[in-house]
Amino acid sequence: MRKKIVFYLFVCLFLFAVLFPFFWQFITSIKPPTELFGERAFSFYTTNPSLQSYINVFTDQKRPFLRYLWNSTVVASITTAFSLIIASFTAYAIARLHFRGKNILLGVILAVSMFPQIATIAPVYLFLQQFDQTNSYFGLILPYTTFALPLAVWNLTTYYKQIPLELEESAKVDGATAFQRFYRIIVPLVLPGTFTTAILVFIAAWNEFLFALTINTDELYKTIPVGIALFQGQFIIPWGDIAAASVIVTIPLVIMVLFFQRWIVAGLTSGAVKE
Amino acid sequence: MSKKRGFSEKNIAYLFILPAVLIILVIAVYPVIRTFWLSLYDVRLNDPSKNDIYYSYKLDMDGFVEKYPILVSLMDRSLKKPENKASESKLKQLDQRVLKVKESLTNDPNFEKQYDQVDSIQMDDGNVPESLITYPLSKTSAISLLEELKTLQLEVKKLPIKDTDKQGMLGLLNGLQKTVIQPNFVGFSHYTDVIHQPRFWMSLWNTSVFTIISVAIELVLGLAIALLINRQFKGRGIVRASVLVPWAIPTVVSALMWKFMFDGQNGIMAKFFHFIGLIPDMGTLLTSKFWSMFAVIFADVWKTTPFMTLLLLAGLQTISGSLYEAAHVDGASRIQQFFKITLPLLKPTILVTLLFRTLDAFKVFDLVYVLTGGGPANATETISIYTYKTMFAQMNFGEGSALSVIGFICIAIISIFYIRFLGANIMSNNQSN
């Protein structure tokens, strides 16, 4: 019994450490501006909660917050769809077909996923500038593929390998071509794995900062991480607004994590854990 | 039977991988090679004569056509001004020389044609097309043109004329010099420059300190927590979901959260650290060299330990419980079990997790950019931040590319170290059988 109490104490401590910053962010976001400074800044509660910070986030003309959200949604969605379609073919070929240079291909994909993004930014930036594609969705989707595609190929290959070979063998006997086998049998079966991969790629694209910071500098094309990071003005930092914006961005992620946690955990651990 | 249709399995495989291979070549492999190539040239985006790689001598027509006529008219106007009467003869002489500058180029009829074309486009406020933007010069004419512009600048400096006129002329002559484009190949000199800068070694040191300490703490903490929660208990789902949240939020958001909590006046964590006597006063946290690095590592540990825990927990769950039972029967203590069973069986997971974490930590950018900006006094400036600042604050793409290449090599060395020397097997799951 005593052991159990100690155990739960540790678990609570761990949860507290993980969740405290979120709690603090929330409290800060509903404090009225006068309570953000001085002694009240350290208070764990507020007696007169205010939505002023939330109103500021959405109404400030200098930073179109909704537009940032929209930009991130567009860029992350297209990146995810695009890389998953390309990666499905590649992953199937790697998992199921025989061809020369398979291990080299895998090695290259893995190496690309390890590339520091800063190593490609200069040519990408110069290229986009030359063709007037900075401050556009394309300008971000293109470089995002560098990390999205390897991530997708790597995860999908694991899922494709788990599909029993017999299913395909029997289709082969029935005269189905590799292409038919791919889209009639494999793709539907691997849909859950594809979805898991899509979540991981989407989050990675949604959170990307370096390319977004350098390529899309126009307010109309900034993504949400860049938008929030540049909330801080030259002299004052609007902590209340930043807290409100953080809460707004965190809530959908929390909901997504609660809904899909099993799948996300499976996707995250498939690469690292040998079974 | 598929051969009948002209597609062997092998060909279909190549067809299937073709899009991915092309994309990877175009957006990953080529840019890395190009970065290396850029690092051998003096490319600066804030200098029109160096804003790209140039292999030969050229004249930037866009700039030349814009500035040259202004210089000519400025000289004419100042000639007519009565207050410049004293230096009239000298001014006339220089005016002639300025006119000669263009005459020497118009020996080539193509030049005049291109000059007029660019001029009319500029009149209409249009964009000068790529094909007209530069005019090829021979090395001798480029150098003599540059020399002439430099001497003219010196001569103008000596003129006893009105200051506004003089400054205008000097500025235009300076601008015209920038339109003479020279080949900007510099070989490996960016690399030799960089390794002689203390700031570079400082950033490498900061990156290493950050990487080693944060990854080590994350591993130990992650492993401890994973061992602790590797059992059935009520509320396990909540723990697992809450663990995912720090991982899922943008690093920028977590960095801002911590920046507020570390704030020297209103930060709750700063107050807490001060309260327990860790720091002498609240402001120290983000303004002193040691404590700002501490703050960065602290925030990183908060964001990534849960993720580490998750991976290690998944690894622990693959270890069969019967092994521990057998060890228990044989009288092995908990500690012996940990070192003889858990650690060896978990080693592959630990190595792969460590490899990816180390690489990520070494590339750290977002967290530092938001939390400290690399300060105070570059105390938290990492390689990525330094590279970013060189490229996008100083617009020095040549040197920035050299730094990128160095960062890339460091990443390669770390990977090789893990894979070759520690035996991290990242391919085993996906390798062809």
Side-chain angles (χ1 to χ4, degrees), chain B residues 205-220:
Chain B
W205 168 252
N206 291 338
T207 314
S208 309
V209 166
F210 170 79
T211 304
I212 293 170
I213 297 181
S214 64
V215 174
I217 296 175
E218 283 153 24
L219 175 68
V220 172

Side-chain angles (χ1 to χ4, degrees), chain A residues 86-141:
Chain A
I86 306 276
S88 293
F89 289 103
T90 318
Y92 175 71
I94 291 172
R96 282 301 156 82
L97 303 177
H98 295 282
F99 61 94
R100 245 190 264 169
K102 193 186 279 187
N103 281 338
I104 297 174
L105 178 65
L106 265 172
V108 169
I109 288 172
L110 194 62
V112 168
S113 74
M114 294 176 182
F115 276 11
Q117 264 142 44
I118 202 115
T120 58
I121 201 162
V124 168
Y125 180 82
L126 292 173
F127 169 83
L128 293 171
Q129 203 189 37
Q130 194 183 350
F131 291 96
D132 214 12
Q133 291 295 321
T134 53
N135 293 316
S136 74
Y137 294 140
F138 173 77
L140 287 188
I141 294 165

Side-chain angles (χ1 to χ4, degrees), chain A residues 7-8 10-11 14-15 17-22 24-25 28 36-39 41-42 44 82 86 89-90 92-94 96-100 102-103 105-110 112-126 129-130 142 145-146 149 154 157-158 161 172 175 177-179 181-182 200 203 206-207 209-210 213-214 225 228-230 232 237 239 242 246 249-250 253-254 257-258 261-262 264-265 268-275, chain B residues 1-2 5 9-10 12-14 16-17 19-21 23-24 27-29 31-32 34-35 38 43 45 51 130 225 228-229 231 233-235 237-253 256-261 263 265-269 271 282 302 306-307 309-311 314-315 318 348-349 352-353 355-356 359 363 365-366 369-370 384 387-388 391-392 395 397 401 404 407-408 411 415 419 425-433:
Chain A
F7 169 74
Y8 275 104
F10 267 113
V11 170
F14 175 64
L15 283 179
V18 169
L19 299 178
F20 177 74
F22 294 109
W24 197 248
Q25 208 68 14
T28 307
L36 290 174
F37 307 98
E39 265 316 298
F42 305 110
F44 278 64
F82 174 66
I86 306 276
F89 289 103
T90 318
Y92 175 71
I94 291 172
R96 282 301 156 82
L97 303 177
H98 295 282
F99 61 94
R100 245 190 264 169
K102 193 186 279 187
N103 281 338
L105 178 65
L106 265 172
V108 169
I109 288 172
L110 194 62
V112 168
S113 74
M114 294 176 182
F115 276 11
Q117 264 142 44
I118 202 115
T120 58
I121 201 162
V124 168
Y125 180 82
L126 292 173
Q129 203 189 37
Q130 194 183 350
L142 181 81
T145 318
T146 38
L149 191 63
W154 200 253
T157 305
T158 318
K161 288 210 153 167
K172 213 172 180 176
T177 63
F179 195 75
R181 293 193 317 260
F182 172 65
L200 298 185
I203 291 180
W206 180 273
N207 292 352
F209 184 64
L210 178 60
L213 176 72
T214 46
I228 296 185
L230 302 182
Q232 28 188 329
I237 308 182
W239 287 122
I242 290 175
S246 303
V249 180
T250 308
L253 284 167
V254 170
V257 162
L258 285 177
Q261 58 154 310
R262 259 167 217 290
I264 296 176
V265 171
L268 283 177
T269 52
S270 73
V273 181
K274 316 278 163 286
E275 293 178 38
Chain B
M1 75 207 89
S2 52
R5 296 167 185 242
E9 186 176 296
K10 208 183 249 171
I12 287 192
Y14 289 133
F16 274 22
I17 64 169
V21 169
I23 288 173
I24 285 175
I27 59 159
V29 177
V32 169
R34 183 79 183 164
T35 300
L38 274 169
V43 179
L45 291 201
N51 61 4
E130 197 75 9
I225 298 164
L228 189 75
I229 61 176
R231 65 181 82 174
F233 64 90
K234 262 187 207 160
I238 297 171
V239 172
R240 199 160 69 164
S242 65
V243 151
L244 279 174
V245 180
W247 164 81
I249 61 163
T251 309
V252 168
V253 169
L256 281 167
M257 285 180 179
W258 286 101
K259 192 174 182 174
F260 180 53
M261 291 191 290
D263 187 73
Q265 271 148 16
N266 311 303
I268 182 100
M269 282 309 275
K271 184 152 175 116
M282 281 172 61
W302 175 82
F307 176 69
T309 309
L310 206 67
L311 293 185
T318 62
T349 309
V352 173
T353 313
L355 168 62
F356 283 104
L359 293 183
K363 294 186 267 194
F365 178 80
D366 323 11
Y369 182 88
V370 173
S384 297
T387 310
Y388 168 83
M391 279 192 204
F392 292 96
M395 289 292 168
F397 269 55
S401 296
S404 295
F408 183 79
I411 292 283
S415 310
I419 294 168
N425 192 352
I426 26 186
M427 301 263 274
S428 72
N429 260 24
N430 283 343
Q431 212 155 26
S432 63
N433 322 314

Side-chain angles (χ1 to χ4, degrees), chain B residues 54-258:
Chain B
Y54 292 107
Y55 302 104
S56 57
Y57 291 90
K58 290 175 191 172
L59 189 64
D60 163 22
M61 285 303 262
D62 201 19
F64 189 82
V65 175
E66 188 188 307
K67 295 185 182 93
Y68 182 77
I70 306 177
L71 178 65
V72 173
S73 70
L74 180 63
M75 296 209 90
D76 288 347
R77 261 186 287 133
S78 46
L79 248 179
K80 286 182 195 123
K81 283 182 188 160
E83 66 262 37
N84 290 340
K85 204 83 183 162
S87 45
E88 195 187 339
S89 63
K90 188 75 189 157
L91 207 49
K92 215 172 226 164
Q93 194 195 335
L94 289 178
D95 190 37
Q96 288 305 314
R97 279 175 75 175
V98 167
L99 291 175
K100 274 241 176 63
V101 163
K102 196 188 157 195
E103 273 167 34
S104 68
L105 290 163
T106 31
N107 287 339
D108 178 4
N110 284 335
F111 175 82
E112 197 152 23
K113 204 175 126 207
Q114 196 176 335
Y115 186 97
D116 293 338
Q117 277 174 316
V118 173
D119 194 31
S120 66
I121 293 171
Q122 283 186 354
M123 286 293 184
D124 302 338
D125 281 333
N127 275 334
V128 183
E130 197 75 9
S131 56
L132 294 177
I133 222 156
T134 57
Y135 168 80
L137 291 175
S138 71
K139 187 178 173 179
T140 42
S141 57
I143 288 175
S144 67
L145 175 61
L146 205 55
E147 285 304 312
E148 178 64 9
L149 289 168
K150 271 186 194 152
T151 30
L152 279 171
Q153 203 177 5
L154 286 178
E155 294 288 332
V156 170
K157 234 177 219 162
K158 284 187 248 162
L159 279 181
I161 55 169
K162 240 181 72 186
D163 221 32
T164 47
D165 289 355
K166 198 162 146 177
Q167 290 310 324
M169 287 178 206
L170 287 175
L172 285 162
L173 281 165
N174 195 31
L176 281 171
Q177 284 172 40
K178 299 246 157 153
T179 65
V180 184
I181 294 165
Q182 296 171 282
N184 49 358
F185 180 77
V186 293
F188 285 94
S189 68
H190 284 315
Y191 293 90
T192 48
D193 286 353
V194 160
I195 60 170
H196 285 104
Q197 284 166 11
R199 190 174 166 191
F200 164 72
W201 292 106
M202 176 86 164
S203 71
L204 194 61
W205 168 252
N206 291 338
T207 314
S208 309
V209 166
F210 170 79
T211 304
I212 293 170
I213 297 181
S214 64
V215 174
I217 296 175
E218 283 153 24
L219 175 68
V220 172
L221 266 181
L223 190 57
I225 298 164
L227 286 170
L228 189 75
I229 61 176
N230 184 25
R231 65 181 82 174
Q232 291 299 331
F233 64 90
K234 262 187 207 160
R236 206 175 149 179
I238 297 171
V239 172
R240 199 160 69 164
S242 65
V243 151
L244 279 174
V245 180
W247 164 81
I249 61 163
T251 309
V252 168
V253 169
S254 72
L256 281 167
M257 285 180 179
W258 286 101

Side-chain angles (χ1 to χ4, degrees), chain A residues 169-211:
Chain A
E169 294 294 340
S170 58
K172 213 172 180 176
V173 173
D174 292 343
T177 63
F179 195 75
Q180 285 169 333
R181 293 193 317 260
F182 172 65
Y183 73 82
R184 288 259 169 82
I185 300 170
I186 300 287
V187 170
L189 277 175
V190 90
L191 223 50
T194 310
F195 185 70
T196 308
T197 311
I199 296 176
L200 298 185
V201 172
F202 187 90
I203 291 180
W206 180 273
N207 292 352
E208 201 282 337
F209 184 64
L210 178 60
F211 281 119

